Amino acid sequence: MKDMLGTLVRRVANLPLEMLGTICDLIEKLASESGQQWLTELKKFLRKENCWTGIIAIKDAYLKLISSGQALVIDACDGANVLADANDVFAYIDSDLKNWKADQKGFASGETFVEVYEMEKDGTFAQLFGSLSPDLQKLCLTQEQIIGFVKKHRDWIRTDGYGTFFLFVSNERYFVASVFLSGALLDVLVSRFEHSRVWDADIHHRVVVPQLA
């Protein structure tokens, strides 16, 4: 058992960044209530046999789109600003943004349409974002885009001290910025994407991603 786990960890550690989201999504599905069904069909796939034939597709509805019909746009930016230095926006900034090297500058981007989702089912970050797309790169915003969204679309930030989540990349690692609005004050915290905490859907945390369709 230990040898298998060691081999798995070594192999995963050497995978390119763009594959990690798919691997995380697969592991979450194997660990879910329908894990045995996923395992059965995965074995067929690995044997190059037909899989998922005659089976109703499993859809994990972790999130509900709440911005349908709204043209939410983040303005073009050069990507130079980072959350760790956004003292003009946030009353509290998590020091782990710097401690974990989650403060790398981004890249220039044009106007970007985004969507806002709200939680419908308890889940980890991997489950929440993975339910939207296995390609995590498509779900990422730059840190300056996150700042731009908070400034321009503050009314879409979850209120009452609950979180609004944004996925971003820094130094080849995925992180989640959690923005909290309490009264008139905004706070930003950072978590590693692989963090195993299960978020409570009853609180209706929100997720903001680039428009997918």
Side-chain angles (χ1 to χ4, degrees):
M1 179 68 173
K2 290 183 179 179
D3 289 343
M4 291 178 66
L5 286 174
T7 300
L8 176 62
V9 170
R10 288 192 297 273
R11 294 288 175 84
V12 170
N14 291 325
L15 289 176
L17 182 63
E18 60 268 20
M19 290 186 182
L20 293 181
T22 301
I23 296 300
C24 285
D25 186 40
L26 176 59
I27 291 172
E28 293 290 352
K29 285 180 168 58
L30 290 172
S32 70
E33 294 178 359
S34 54
Q36 188 58 51
Q37 188 173 31
W38 278 97
L39 178 61
T40 299
E41 300 305 317
L42 177 61
K43 287 180 178 178
K44 293 179 185 177
F45 173 78
L46 294 174
R47 294 194 299 264
K48 298 183 179 180
E49 299 174 358
N50 290 334
C51 54
W52 297 109
T53 56
I55 297 175
I56 298 174
I58 297 172
K59 181 174 178 60
D60 293 322
Y62 288 96
L63 300 170
K64 175 182 67 176
L65 179 65
I66 62 171
S67 62
S68 180
Q70 302 293 319
L72 300 180
V73 181
I74 299 174
D75 296 334
C77 58
D78 62 12
N81 293 321
V82 295
L83 294 165
D85 298 329
N87 296 293
D88 60 325
V89 179
F90 301 105
Y92 173 81
I93 298 175
D94 193 340
S95 60
D96 282 336
L97 282 160
K98 291 188 175 181
N99 295 338
W100 293 345
K101 297 183 179 180
D103 58 349
Q104 183 184 35
K105 293 181 179 180
F107 50 84
S109 57
E111 286 190 342
T112 302
F113 286 86
V114 295
E115 298 174 329
V116 182
Y117 291 81
E118 202 163 80
M119 285 184 62
E120 287 271 280
K121 177 181 175 181
D122 295 355
T124 62
F125 287 137
Q127 290 171 321
L128 299 180
F129 286 98
S131 70
L132 297 176
S133 172
D135 186 350
L136 293 183
Q137 288 287 350
K138 292 182 179 179
L139 305 176
C140 288
L141 295 167
T142 68
Q143 294 188 53
E144 186 162 9
Q145 286 179 314
I146 296 171
I147 294 169
F149 179 89
V150 172
K151 285 182 175 180
K152 187 175 181 179
H153 302 294
R154 184 186 177 109
D155 53 334
W156 283 92
I157 299 295
R158 182 74 170 90
T159 57
D160 301 320
Y162 301 126
T164 302
F165 303 143
F166 303 82
L167 185 64
F168 69 97
V169 174
S170 179
N171 289 301
E172 299 186 347
R173 291 198 64 176
Y174 288 106
F175 295 93
V176 176
S178 303
V179 175
F180 296 87
L181 176 61
S182 298
L185 299 178
L186 284 163
D187 300 333
V188 61
L189 306 180
V190 65
S191 303
R192 293 186 172 97
F193 174 73
E194 62 270 21
H195 186 39
S196 61
R197 174 175 175 175
V198 177
W199 296 90
D200 187 353
D202 289 339
I203 296 175
H204 300 294
H205 295 294
R206 292 183 177 180
V207 171
V208 180
V209 296
Q211 192 173 75
L212 298 174

